[in-house]
Coordinates of all heavy atoms in Angstrom, one line a residue:
N851 N 4.5 -3.9 5.6 CA 3.4 -4.8 5.8 C 3.8 -6.0 6.5 O 4.6 -6.9 5.8 CB 2.8 -5.1 4.4 CG 1.6 -6.2 4.5 OD1 1.2 -6.6 5.5 ND2 1.2 -6.6 3.3
K853 N 2.3 -8.4 7.5 CA 1.4 -9.7 7.3 C 1.1 -10.5 8.6 O 1.0 -9.7 9.6 CB 2.1 -10.6 6.2 CG 2.5 -9.8 4.9 CD 3.0 -10.6 3.8 CE 3.3 -9.6 2.8 NZ 3.7 -10.3 1.4
H935 N -5.0 -6.3 -1.1 CA -3.7 -7.0 -1.2 C -3.8 -8.2 -2.1 O -4.9 -8.9 -1.8 CB -3.0 -7.2 0.1 CG -1.6 -7.7 0.0 ND1 -1.2 -9.0 -0.3 CD2 -0.4 -7.0 0.1 CE1 0.2 -9.1 -0.5 NE2 0.6 -7.9 -0.2
E937 N -2.7 -11.1 -1.6 CA -2.9 -12.4 -0.9 C -4.4 -12.4 -0.5 O -5.0 -13.4 -0.3 CB -1.9 -12.3 0.3 CG -0.6 -12.6 0.1 CD 0.6 -12.0 0.8 OE1 0.3 -11.6 1.9 OE2 1.7 -12.0 0.4
E1007 N 1.8 -3.9 -7.5 CA 2.5 -5.1 -6.8 C 2.4 -6.2 -7.8 O 1.4 -7.0 -7.7 CB 2.0 -5.4 -5.5 CG 2.2 -4.3 -4.4 CD 2.2 -4.9 -3.0 OE1 1.4 -5.6 -2.6 OE2 3.3 -4.8 -2.4
A1011 N 6.4 -10.9 -7.9 CA 7.5 -10.4 -7.3 C 7.4 -10.3 -5.7 O 8.3 -10.0 -5.1 CB 7.8 -9.0 -7.8
I1012 N 6.3 -10.7 -5.3 CA 5.9 -10.7 -3.9 C 6.5 -12.0 -3.1 O 6.1 -13.1 -3.4 CB 4.4 -10.6 -3.6 CG1 3.9 -9.2 -4.2 CG2 4.1 -10.6 -2.2 CD1 2.4 -9.1 -4.0
G1013 N 7.3 -11.6 -2.3 CA 8.0 -12.7 -1.3 C 8.8 -13.6 -2.1 O 9.1 -14.7 -1.6
T1014 N 9.1 -13.4 -3.3 CA 10.0 -14.2 -4.1 C 11.3 -14.0 -4.2 O 12.2 -14.6 -4.7 CB 9.3 -14.3 -5.6 OG1 9.3 -12.8 -6.1 CG2 7.8 -14.8 -5.7
G1051 N 5.7 -2.4 -5.1 CA 5.8 -3.5 -4.0 C 6.1 -4.8 -4.6 O 5.7 -5.2 -5.7
G1052 N 7.0 -5.4 -4.0 CA 7.4 -6.8 -4.5 C 8.9 -6.9 -4.3 O 9.8 -6.5 -5.1
S1053 N 9.3 -7.5 -3.1 CA 10.9 -7.7 -2.9 C 11.7 -6.5 -2.9 O 12.8 -6.5 -3.4 CB 11.3 -8.8 -3.9 OG 10.6 -10.0 -3.7
V1054 N 11.0 -5.5 -2.4 CA 11.9 -4.2 -2.1 C 12.9 -4.4 -1.0 O 12.4 -5.0 0.1 CB 10.9 -3.0 -1.9 CG1 11.8 -1.8 -1.6 CG2 10.1 -2.8 -3.1
L1072 N 5.6 -0.5 -1.1 CA 5.0 -1.4 0.1 C 5.8 -2.6 0.2 O 6.1 -3.2 -0.7 CB 3.6 -1.7 -0.5 CG 2.6 -2.4 0.5 CD1 2.4 -1.6 1.7 CD2 1.3 -2.6 -0.1
V1073 N 6.3 -2.8 1.5 CA 7.4 -3.7 1.7 C 6.9 -4.8 2.8 O 6.6 -4.6 3.8 CB 8.6 -2.9 2.4 CG1 9.8 -3.8 2.5 CG2 8.8 -1.6 1.6
G1074 N 7.0 -6.0 2.3 CA 6.8 -7.2 3.2 C 8.0 -7.6 3.9 O 8.4 -7.0 4.9
G1075 N 8.7 -8.5 3.4 CA 9.9 -9.2 4.1 C 10.8 -8.2 4.7 O 11.2 -8.4 5.9
A1076 N 11.2 -7.2 3.9 CA 12.3 -6.2 4.4 C 11.7 -5.3 5.5 O 12.5 -4.5 5.9 CB 12.9 -5.5 3.3
Ligands
PGA1204 P1 7.5 -8.5 -0.2 O1 6.1 -8.3 0.0 O2 8.2 -7.3 0.1 O3 8.0 -9.5 0.9 O4 7.8 -9.1 -1.6 C1 5.5 -7.2 -0.6 C2 4.0 -7.1 -0.2 O5 3.3 -8.2 -0.1 O6 3.4 -6.0 0.0

Side-chain angles (χ1 to χ4, degrees):
N851 172 11
K853 309 192 178 181
H935 189 280
E937 285 151 18
E1007 298 209 301
I1012 296 180
T1014 57
S1053 301
V1054 175
L1072 189 57
V1073 186

